[in-house]
Amino acid sequence: DAGVTQSPTHLIKTRGQHVTLRCSPISGHKSVSWYQQVLGQGPQFIFQYYEKEERGRGNFPDRFSARQFPNYSSELNVNALLLGDSALYLCASSLEHKARDTQYFGPGTRLTVL
Amino acid sequence: AQKVTQAQTEISVVEKEDVTLDCVYETRDTTYYLFWYKQPPSGELVFLIRRNSFDEQNEISGRYSWNFQKSTSSFNFTITASQVVDSAVYFCALSEAQEYSGGGADGLTFGKGTHLIIQP
């Protein structure tokens, strides 16, 4: 079975632009979470979606938004990009949104903001 | 608020040595889950193990073993007879079961990671 897939792999944007990152979960998983990982740090939680509803949100500004589609895939949008948004964006899928559910991660999208 | 501390930023050992990666956590919940992930240079986080707060049994999987001690809020990871392929960044993570949301979570809280270098 395919794992979590993310697109694109790499992205270069300039300050002020917006970006859309995409994620497809493992088949059968209904929850998708997004994380931001800056160099040298652990991933930071951004959002969790389950059954198309937002179930959790981390401490990120409103420039960050996401949604989940009927097929459980998800998009992360970031508006008005800042240099500090440069990071590896990781998507994770899990069966449900419970704390006990193991999250399986995709390969990530590396975003560079110039 | 939950917190995970991995005090060892980088560890370097020679192949075949045993190595232990430390993880200390803070939580006010009685129900929580602890995880270890491996991040090789490719960047993808690979799940290694999950432990719930009610199960303090140590676990062994091949050359990997985990020691969970609630009394010291620690969940340490040992690699026996390390190999070059074990070189990676290892993350410890915590997930709290929020009773008001039916056991839902608010994402994983990760430590800063330990960069493990295994030299041939």
Side-chain angles (χ1 to χ4, degrees):
Chain A
D1 283 342
V4 178
T5 59
Q6 292 186 242
S7 63
T9 306
H10 294 86
L11 206 50
I12 299 175
K13 292 285 188 178
T14 56
R15 280 179 298 175
Q17 287 188 311
H18 80 274
V19 67
T20 298
L21 310 181
R22 295 178 175 81
C23 171
S24 291
I26 293 170
S27 177
H29 285 193
K30 298 182 178 179
S31 181
V32 169
S33 299
W34 288 94
Y35 292 81
Q36 180 196 66
Q37 186 181 18
V38 299
L39 200 61
Q41 300 293 317
Q44 296 287 315
F45 172 67
I46 309 175
F47 287 111
Q48 184 177 40
Y49 276 77
Y50 174 68
E51 293 282 14
K52 297 178 290 180
E53 289 188 8
E54 182 184 302
R55 294 304 185 111
R57 172 187 283 256
N59 189 24
F60 279 80
D62 292 342
R63 298 185 296 107
F64 289 77
S65 63
R67 54 179 176 168
Q68 187 178 32
F69 299 100
N71 67 352
Y72 304 112
S73 68
S74 177
E75 283 183 353
L76 175 69
N77 295 284
V78 186
N79 293 324
L81 285 168
L82 303 174
L83 295 179
D85 295 332
S86 294
L88 179 67
Y89 287 85
L90 294 162
C91 172
S93 80
S94 53
L95 282 169
E96 296 184 351
H97 67 290
K98 304 293 187 182
R100 65 173 181 263
D101 294 318
T102 298
Q103 296 188 23
Y104 297 91
F105 285 80
T109 294
R110 188 163 296 281
L111 172 65
T112 302
V113 182
L114 303 176
Chain B
Q2 60 211 58
K3 184 178 178 181
V4 176
T5 301
Q6 295 180 256
Q8 304 150 309
T9 304
E10 184 175 289
I11 300 175
S12 181
V13 299
V14 177
E15 198 172 22
K16 298 183 183 177
E17 286 186 15
D18 299 347
V19 59
T20 295
L21 310 182
D22 297 334
C23 172
V24 174
Y25 62 92
E26 294 177 28
T27 178
R28 286 178 289 185
D29 279 8
T30 56
T31 303
Y32 54 89
Y33 298 83
L34 296 163
F35 302 81
W36 275 94
Y37 287 87
K38 174 182 180 180
Q39 188 174 44
S42 61
E44 184 169 346
L45 282 166
V46 177
F47 166 70
L48 296 177
I49 191 172
R50 179 189 71 187
R51 244 317 165 246
N52 73 57
S53 52
F54 299 108
D55 183 1
E56 286 194 72
Q57 278 193 336
N58 292 331
E59 180 156 339
I60 298 174
S61 176
R63 296 184 297 106
Y64 295 172
S65 63
W66 290 268
N67 182 277
F68 176 31
Q69 291 194 338
K70 286 179 74 171
S71 60
T72 55
S73 298
S74 65
F75 186 42
N76 297 336
F77 172 31
T78 297
I79 301 175
T80 303
S82 60
Q83 299 177 1
V84 173
V85 293
D86 296 327
S87 297
V89 180
Y90 290 85
F91 290 96
C92 180
L94 167 69
S95 180
E96 295 176 327
Q98 299 162 351
E99 297 307 319
Y100 61 84
S101 64
D106 210 9
L108 290 167
T109 297
F110 284 85
K112 292 187 175 182
T114 296
H115 185 197
L116 178 62
I117 301 169
I118 310 296
Q119 300 181 28

